[in-house]
Amino acid sequence: PAQPLPLARDAHGRPRLLAPYEDRDAGWSHSGQRLLLAVGHDVVLGVDLERQRPRPKALELARRFFAAGEADWLQSLPAADREPQFLRLWCAKEAVLKAHGRGLAFGLHRLRFAADDPQAPLRLRDCDPALGVPAQWHLHEWTPLDGYHAALAWRPRTPPQRR
C-alpha cells in the first residue's frame, strides 16, 4: 500500500515536509501541461515555471506591480526584449515569494531584482526585511523545455532559535 506523503500546510498555506524529512524543503509549480518539482536540503526554496506566450501588457503590469526600478529597466530595453525580460523577473519574484510562503499576496513590489544587461543573471538587490538579507538568496534560471522558463530561488535555512 502507498504511504501518504508527509506534507502539511502552515498557517499561510505553504506546504511543509514533515518528519522524517523536516530538514528538507520542497516546492512545485505548473504552467500549461507541465509540472516542475524541486527539493533541497537545509534550504528554504521556491520554484516557478511559466509558459512563454505573448504578454502585450508586460510593461503596464510591471509599472503596476513591480518595483519602480524594474519597470524603468524594462522600459529602457528594446521592445523585442521586454516580454522575455518581464517573464524572467516574474519567475524570479514568484520563486522567492513562494519560498517565503506568502506567494504573490506578499507583493511583487517588495523585492527588486536587477541585471547588468538582458543576458546577465538576475540578482536580488533589495527586499522587504521579512524576506531576509538579499545577499543570502540564490537564483537559478533555465529553460526546462522549449517554450517554458523556470526559476529556482533558495536561501540557507535559518537554524532554530535556542531558548
Side-chain angles (χ1 to χ4, degrees):
Q3 295 292 322
L5 195 59
L7 277 177
R9 293 197 180 265
D10 68 15
H12 300 289
R14 185 188 194 278
R16 302 282 181 186
L17 290 166
L18 302 174
Y21 306 106
E22 63 270 4
D23 61 340
R24 294 169 180 88
D25 196 17
W28 54 84
S29 181
H30 62 87
S31 184
Q33 298 293 314
R34 304 295 182 222
L35 174 67
L36 179 62
L37 302 171
V39 177
H41 187 268
D42 288 332
V43 295
V44 174
L45 65 80
V47 65
D48 190 45
L49 175 69
E50 296 291 336
R51 187 172 50 89
Q52 295 171 350
R53 58 180 172 76
R55 288 175 167 82
K57 295 188 179 199
L59 192 53
E60 180 182 324
L61 290 170
R63 284 268 172 237
R64 184 169 178 196
F65 295 109
F66 288 6
E70 293 166 328
D72 291 344
W73 179 68
L74 286 172
Q75 188 166 2
S76 76
L77 297 174
D81 290 340
R82 286 184 192 143
E83 288 181 22
Q85 296 305 316
F86 171 86
L87 185 64
R88 288 183 67 207
L89 286 169
W90 183 277
C91 284
K93 287 170 165 288
E94 192 162 354
V96 170
L97 293 174
K98 285 178 176 180
H100 175 57
R102 300 297 290 275
L104 297 177
F106 187 73
L108 293 165
H109 66 286
R110 296 173 79 177
L111 62 164
R112 182 178 65 88
F113 280 90
D116 297 329
D117 64 64
Q119 283 71 45
L122 291 172
R123 290 195 208 338
L124 185 59
R125 298 287 190 203
D126 299 302
C127 64
D128 186 287
L131 295 171
V133 178
Q136 287 186 327
W137 284 98
H138 304 275
L139 181 71
H140 177 67
E141 300 177 84
W142 75 104
T143 301
L145 189 65
D146 283 345
Y148 287 85
H149 185 79
L152 170 68
W154 73 95
R155 66 169 174 75
R157 182 185 303 270
T158 53
Q161 299 296 318
R162 300 202 185 260
R163 296 177 193 221

